[in-house]
Amino acid sequence: MLESLISVIGVVLQPTNLLIMLLGTFVGIFVGAMPGLSSIMGLSLMLPLTLRFDGTTGILMLLGVFCGAIYGGSITAILIKTPGTANSAATVLDGYPLTQRGEAARALGISTFASTFGGLFSAVMLLWTAPLLSKVALSFTSAEYFSLAIFGLSMVTSLSSKDVTKGLISAVIGLMLATVGMDALTGAKRFTFGSTYLLAGIAMVPVLIGLYAFSQGLFNAETISQTAERTKTKLRRTFPTLKDIRTTFPTMLRSSVIGTLIGAIPGTGGDIASWLAYNEARRWSKNPEEFGTGRIEGVAAPEAANNAVSGGALIPLLTLGIPGDAGTAVMLGALMMQGIVPGPLLFTSEQTKVYTIIVGLFIANLFMGLLGFGGIRLFAKIGDVHNKYLTPIVFVFCIVGTFALNNSVNDIFLMMIFGLIAFFLIKLDFPMPPIILGLILGNTLEKNLQRALLVSKGDFSIFFTRPISLALLLIAFGSVFLPVILRKINAARKAKQAEKNAQ
């Protein structure tokens, strides 16, 4: 392990790889700091470009985009009360009041420091825990992999949507899309409608760009006349003082642990981690009533947590092949297109590439900190870009990025169709992550279902007689139906309370 790690460090530190990661991190911060864009959108747009690089260079660039975008959302959250990404929504509560008091530089300094700390902490946890978990997963058979895919889908379905039913419908849509093309076992054509373009199945990258980037461009076009509230402020010293670091260090450490743990649970994300960390910071504070008025712990907690999610989300991705959140779902697609298949065997067959990703995550977080402190004045101006300039750029990137993948006009039409579908689905409060996960995991689900039934000669009990498979199915079942049960229990309690109050 140590020899592989040392050799990988030498590869990652090559000037070309460092430059590509620096570029990716810069683009990530830019996208994150731009209200109306998102880290998923940035990853989706940069995904076609990764195929132009050899080896893992493209993956290293995506790691830079991934880390940078999560941090970038805090800049506009603090300065103009407009989170660049959903992960930074909690940062607004204390970040913007600090700006109103003329302490924007202090808030941005703590945000950058906490983000870097959380990201580095999660990278260390990834290096420590991923190999241990992969050893357990080596005992998996096709039955366990089928149950694991069900588990991944159920977690995303229940946790990414307020409405479990809509989450399930989104997951089914993704699974239906995964059935298009030729059956891997029998070679039968399914839902191709005589089109040779669909024989290989629904292309994932155009769908990703359509669901996240093109649809967001349509939303931006809808609100093109709206402008965000802005507070003019001068930024002087951005690096936090030693006193501020000492004050916030326990909060950053606790929030980093929370973020890593939340990220490791498939289907969660930085928004959940940031709110949970913020609530814990307020609960542990000696002056909880001051939160929301400009406490630096209220900035440090959500930023450390949502950046720690990046490493945490890669733990189930690399060891089990299950994305921890929507961002790592895009990363899964990128890895598979580079010929890297995540899962327990990855740590034995492709150990060098695994450590390249882990070391790359560490370096990307360092670059995020350096760019954050060095270029904060530049990034602070990004929020001033009006939607009428931003929206056409988004559409151009969507079309060019999609076409560059295979030089196919059909890909562009596919991207636009899914962008329009996503636009209306989002308006109806349907979540997008389950669709992507359904499309990605559908092949794994079907393939391992077929293999398990071949081994058991059609006996479905194979999924319930193996302990790990049964445990995963029970957890999946609980994650889908537990929210429904709890909602009904709460509704019954409220009804009883209302009856008592009426009497």
Side-chain angles (χ1 to χ4, degrees):
M1 172 183 169
L2 188 59
E3 291 180 3
S4 299
L5 192 58
I6 292 171
S7 65
V8 159
I9 291 172
V11 172
V12 175
L13 292 180
Q14 289 179 359
T16 303
N17 287 334
L18 289 176
L19 187 62
I20 290 297
M21 270 195 291
L22 186 65
L23 173 64
T25 309
F26 181 88
V27 170
I29 296 175
F30 180 88
V31 169
M34 189 79 75
L37 304 187
S38 68
S39 58
I40 316 302
M41 180 179 176
L43 288 167
S44 302
L45 290 175
M46 298 297 284
L47 187 54
L49 186 60
T50 64
L51 300 178
R52 304 294 177 184
F53 298 110
D54 296 327
T56 53
T57 304
I59 303 299
L60 293 174
M61 182 180 70
L62 282 185
L63 286 171
V65 176
F66 188 37
C67 296
I70 296 172
Y71 157 70
S74 66
I75 297 173
T76 45
I78 291 169
L79 292 178
I80 62 173
K81 202 181 179 181
T82 306
T85 63
N87 295 354
S88 298
T91 309
V92 171
L93 299 181
D94 285 276
Y96 188 66
L98 282 167
T99 298
Q100 290 178 309
R101 293 205 315 242
E103 298 181 72
R106 184 187 180 202
L108 289 169
I110 283 294
S111 168
T112 305
F113 191 88
S115 297
T116 307
F117 182 88
L120 294 175
F121 179 90
S122 70
V124 173
M125 290 297 102
L126 174 63
L127 177 62
W128 177 47
T129 59
L132 299 175
L133 186 56
S134 69
K135 289 179 181 178
V136 176
L138 279 172
S139 61
F140 281 21
T141 64
S142 53
E144 281 80 16
Y145 278 116
F146 170 80
S147 300
L148 187 63
I150 293 289
F151 165 71
L153 282 170
S154 67
M155 293 297 286
V156 169
T157 302
S158 60
L159 292 172
S160 65
S161 174
K162 295 177 182 177
D163 190 330
V164 177
T165 304
K166 289 182 178 179
L168 282 169
I169 292 171
S170 293
V172 170
I173 291 172
L175 289 172
M176 289 172 64
L177 293 173
T179 63
V180 175
M182 291 181 68
D183 187 299
L185 190 67
T186 64
K189 298 176 183 178
R190 302 179 302 189
F191 309 112
T192 58
F193 305 103
S195 170
T196 55
Y197 174 72
L198 295 175
L199 280 176
I202 298 288
M204 188 178 63
V205 176
V207 174
L208 273 171
I209 294 174
L211 292 182
Y212 286 108
F214 194 80
S215 62
Q216 187 60 57
L218 293 175
F219 277 107
N220 288 350
E222 205 177 32
T223 58
I224 204 162
S225 61
Q226 296 179 12
T227 55
E229 179 184 355
R230 283 163 169 73
T231 300
K232 296 292 182 180
T233 183
K234 291 183 178 180
L235 301 177
R236 294 183 177 88
R237 177 192 174 116
T238 55
F239 196 85
T241 62
L242 191 60
K243 180 184 177 182
D244 281 347
I245 293 174
R246 279 201 304 264
T247 302
T248 57
F249 183 79
T251 300
M252 287 190 289
L253 184 60
R254 182 172 55 249
S255 301
S256 297
V257 173
I258 291 171
T260 305
L261 292 174
I262 292 294
I265 301 173
T268 55
D271 52 347
I272 295 172
S274 61
W275 284 110
L276 184 58
Y278 183 86
N279 287 332
E280 286 300 303
R282 184 170 56 186
R283 192 167 68 85
W284 283 77
S285 175
K286 294 179 181 178
N287 304 296
E289 70 282 354
E290 293 181 6
F291 274 70
T293 63
R295 294 283 298 185
I296 54 171
E297 295 96 326
V299 174
E303 288 307 305
N306 64 34
N307 283 271
V309 165
S310 59
L314 286 174
I315 294 173
L317 174 69
L318 295 178
T319 57
L320 304 173
I322 301 296
D325 60 7
T328 46
V330 181
M331 294 293 295
L332 174 60
L335 289 170
M336 293 175 72
M337 284 190 291
Q338 293 282 359
I340 304 171
V341 182
L345 293 176
L346 188 65
F347 284 79
T348 54
S349 61
E350 301 279 3
Q351 192 179 64
T352 302
K353 291 182 178 178
V354 172
Y355 288 125
T356 301
I357 293 169
I358 295 173
V359 173
L361 181 68
F362 195 89
I363 301 297
N365 278 290
L366 287 177
F367 278 151
M368 180 189 72
L370 291 173
L371 287 172
F373 287 119
I376 194 68
R377 291 172 179 82
L378 170 64
F379 292 122
K381 296 179 181 179
I382 292 172
D384 294 330
V385 178
H386 198 280
N387 263 353
K388 67 181 179 182
Y389 305 115
L390 174 63
T391 304
I393 295 172
V394 170
F395 286 135
V396 169
F397 272 113
C398 287
I399 294 169
V400 172
T402 303
F403 182 78
L405 187 65
N406 296 310
N407 295 329
S408 171
V409 177
N410 288 328
D411 284 346
I412 296 176
F413 289 137
L414 186 68
M415 179 270 295
M416 288 182 171
I417 289 168
F418 276 96
L420 285 168
I421 292 171
F423 177 73
F424 291 109
L425 285 177
I426 293 169
K427 279 183 173 292
L428 295 171
D429 292 326
F430 282 88
M432 293 300 103
I435 297 179
I436 293 299
L437 265 296
L439 179 60
I440 292 173
L441 295 178
N443 184 48
T444 301
L445 194 74
E446 182 184 21
K447 183 171 60 180
N448 286 290
L449 174 63
Q450 290 174 328
R451 287 177 180 173
L453 291 177
L454 280 173
V455 170
S456 67
K457 298 180 180 179
D459 186 1
F460 280 90
S461 66
I462 188 173
F463 301 110
F464 307 104
T465 54
R466 299 182 65 87
I468 297 176
S469 175
L470 178 61
L472 289 169
L473 288 175
L474 288 174
I475 295 170
F477 181 84
S479 67
V480 171
F481 293 102
L482 190 61
V484 178
I485 295 169
L486 291 176
R487 194 176 296 122
K488 288 186 176 181
I489 291 172
N490 289 332
R493 285 178 179 173
K494 287 180 180 178
K496 286 183 179 179
Q497 188 64 40
E499 287 178 7
K500 288 182 180 179
N501 292 337
Q503 292 172 0

